[in-house]
Amino acid sequence: MIALGKKLQEQGEALKTKEAEVKQEELREDHDEALEMNDAFDKDKAHGEALEMNAEFNKDKDHEEALGINKEIDEAKAAGIRVQEKAKFAEEARLSAEADRAVAAEVLKKLQGSDTAPMPAEKTEPMNTESVAEASVEDAKDTDETLIEKIGAPDNETFKKYGSKMREAADALVSLKEKIIANDKKLKDENLEFKSAEWKILWDENEALNDQRNELLSDATRGSKAIDLDPYLRENERDAELKKYRETAMSDPYIVLHIVESGNLGYTHREKEGLGKINAELRSNPEFMSRVLDKLSSRAAEGFWAHTQGETAKDKNLYIKAVKKNHLNYQWGKPEWKSDPKIQKTALESGLSSAYLYKS
């Protein structure tokens, strides 16, 4: 009996051990299954998040593309509007110019009097244009020399020291102008290939001529290289010496006429610029300023009357001559001159828009 009980006890313990092992195995399997489920869940979650991220990315990409397309559309629209505006402005400018011409023609018709009717042409013999041109050049030189002698050179130490150098440089500028004009004409020749070997040679020549022009202009009017300045001079003392040089040059009728003739003076109406650099006493001389006007190109004469002084500013005939050369001079005349029908007629014929005629 004891042996039987012991055996039953051993069997019971073995059964418990077996059950424990079975349970442990089940728990292990459940744990592994849970891990697998969690892993699958994590994978599904990650996949879902990836899908969401892709969707968001695609949305952003679509949005950016849409913005880019909209931007291109907006730019195209803006460009189209600009083209339309330019065309509109061009058409308005054309219509305005036509209207101005029509009004100017009407004003001229009203201003036209019997005293301005064209006279019958007289029969004349053919002229030798070359001899006339040569005679006119000689006459101009004689006129200049007489006028320069009449006015006289500046009487100061600066001119005594540098006057010859100034005049030589001014002289050379006139000759240089012809060379630059000749080269410019060749460069603009339609038969000359752009940037060809010949073109480059002419271009380099013109660059050298322009450098030479700047040096001559400095010697004629500025003195920055001509004056042997003490390197230890203070800046204000140096500026004072250069100012004397400039003022002396612009007081000499010879230098001024040559600088004007070389095309290096004129244009702007601003005070102390362009013709405003000329000495006030010279600008007050009607005879001298008339010669200056003769030598100015139409374009360079646009600010002429704004710089007249003293007796010159009172010369009505010279004013009419200035308006005839460039209509922009009309605006600086006296009110009684600007309201004169004959002067208005001259201004219109010179190119002034009727909208700018003086209204008293």
Side-chain angles (χ1 to χ4, degrees):
M1 285 290 287
I2 292 170
L4 182 60
K6 190 174 179 181
K7 188 176 181 179
L8 288 172
Q9 185 179 2
E10 288 175 355
Q11 288 178 348
E13 287 177 356
L15 184 62
K16 282 181 182 179
T17 302
K18 187 70 175 174
E19 287 177 353
E21 288 176 355
V22 169
K23 275 187 179 181
Q24 190 173 2
E25 185 65 28
E26 287 177 351
L27 286 170
R28 189 181 293 110
E29 288 177 357
D30 290 343
H31 179 67
D32 291 343
E33 188 177 343
L35 287 174
E36 287 178 4
M37 288 176 68
N38 284 337
D39 190 38
F41 174 76
D42 289 340
K43 285 180 180 177
D44 289 342
K45 184 178 179 184
H47 182 62
E49 288 175 351
L51 288 174
E52 287 179 6
M53 286 173 70
N54 285 337
E56 287 296 324
F57 175 77
N58 288 333
K59 281 181 184 177
D60 291 341
K61 189 176 180 183
D62 290 343
H63 181 61
E64 286 177 5
E65 288 178 354
L67 286 175
I69 292 168
N70 287 338
K71 187 179 178 182
E72 288 178 4
I73 292 170
D74 290 341
E75 286 176 353
K77 284 181 179 177
I81 290 168
R82 285 195 295 272
V83 170
Q84 289 175 358
E85 286 178 347
K86 284 180 180 177
K88 182 182 174 184
F89 292 150
E91 180 62 14
E92 286 176 353
R94 185 184 68 79
L95 292 172
S96 177
E98 284 183 0
D100 281 344
R101 282 195 292 270
V103 173
E106 187 63 28
V107 173
L108 280 171
K109 189 176 178 181
K110 289 178 181 177
L111 292 171
Q112 191 78 32
S114 58
D115 59 324
T116 56
M119 296 292 289
E122 293 182 6
K123 290 184 179 180
T124 55
E125 293 296 323
M127 298 176 73
N128 186 332
T129 53
E130 286 187 12
S131 61
V132 170
E134 288 174 5
S136 63
V137 169
E138 289 302 317
D139 289 344
K141 284 183 179 178
D142 290 342
T143 302
D144 288 351
E145 287 174 7
T146 302
L147 185 58
I148 289 163
E149 189 177 347
K150 182 179 176 181
I151 295 171
D155 184 17
N156 60 37
E157 287 302 316
T158 303
F159 188 80
K160 288 174 184 176
K161 191 172 183 180
Y162 301 107
S164 295
K165 188 176 186 67
M166 291 176 178
R167 288 190 171 191
E168 284 172 11
D171 241 347
L173 277 168
V174 176
S175 301
L176 196 67
K177 175 190 174 183
E178 300 305 321
K179 293 179 184 177
I180 293 173
I181 289 173
N183 263 20
D184 279 338
K185 190 176 180 181
K186 289 177 185 176
L187 284 168
K188 292 173 184 175
D189 188 340
E190 58 184 23
N191 296 318
L192 182 65
E193 186 182 346
F194 179 62
K195 289 194 174 180
S196 63
E198 188 183 352
W199 185 93
K200 286 179 181 177
I201 290 170
L202 285 170
W203 178 266
D204 290 341
E205 280 181 8
N206 244 22
E207 289 289 291
L209 288 171
N210 277 308
D211 288 341
Q212 189 181 347
R213 167 191 164 276
N214 290 332
E215 287 181 16
L216 288 171
L217 197 57
S218 176
D219 287 347
T221 63
R222 299 170 192 154
S224 52
K225 293 183 179 179
I227 302 177
D228 186 18
L229 290 169
D230 186 336
Y232 297 103
L233 274 180
R234 293 179 183 177
E235 189 175 350
N236 63 329
E237 292 173 329
R238 174 187 172 84
D239 289 344
E241 288 299 311
L242 293 174
K243 185 181 178 183
K244 284 181 191 175
Y245 194 100
R246 290 194 300 271
E247 289 178 348
T248 298
M250 291 293 100
S251 300
D252 181 33
Y254 184 98
I255 294 171
V256 171
L257 289 177
H258 280 72
I259 297 297
V260 170
E261 190 175 348
S262 70
N264 291 292
L265 204 60
Y267 301 98
T268 179
H269 66 275
R270 288 191 289 271
E271 190 178 0
K272 295 181 181 178
E273 292 185 29
L275 299 175
K277 295 176 182 178
I278 301 173
N279 174 272
E281 192 174 332
L282 289 179
R283 285 185 283 128
S284 299
N285 185 323
E287 188 181 2
F288 177 78
M289 289 305 285
S290 180
R291 285 301 294 148
V292 167
L293 185 59
D294 289 338
K295 291 177 180 292
L296 287 169
S297 67
S298 175
R299 170 74 177 81
E302 67 179 33
F304 176 84
W305 201 256
H307 297 295
T308 55
Q309 299 270 314
E311 291 302 311
T312 304
K314 299 174 185 177
D315 192 325
K316 185 177 179 180
N317 289 329
L318 184 56
Y319 171 72
I320 294 170
K321 182 179 174 180
V323 172
K324 190 173 183 179
K325 188 139 196 180
N326 190 306
H327 65 273
L328 292 177
N329 287 295
Y330 174 82
Q331 64 189 302
W332 292 297
K334 296 178 180 179
E336 59 267 29
W337 293 353
K338 292 193 289 184
S339 58
D340 185 324
K342 288 185 178 179
I343 293 177
Q344 289 184 346
K345 178 177 178 290
T346 300
L348 290 168
E349 288 174 339
S350 180
L352 182 74
S353 167
S354 59
Y356 298 106
L357 285 176
Y358 179 74
K359 298 172 182 66
S360 56

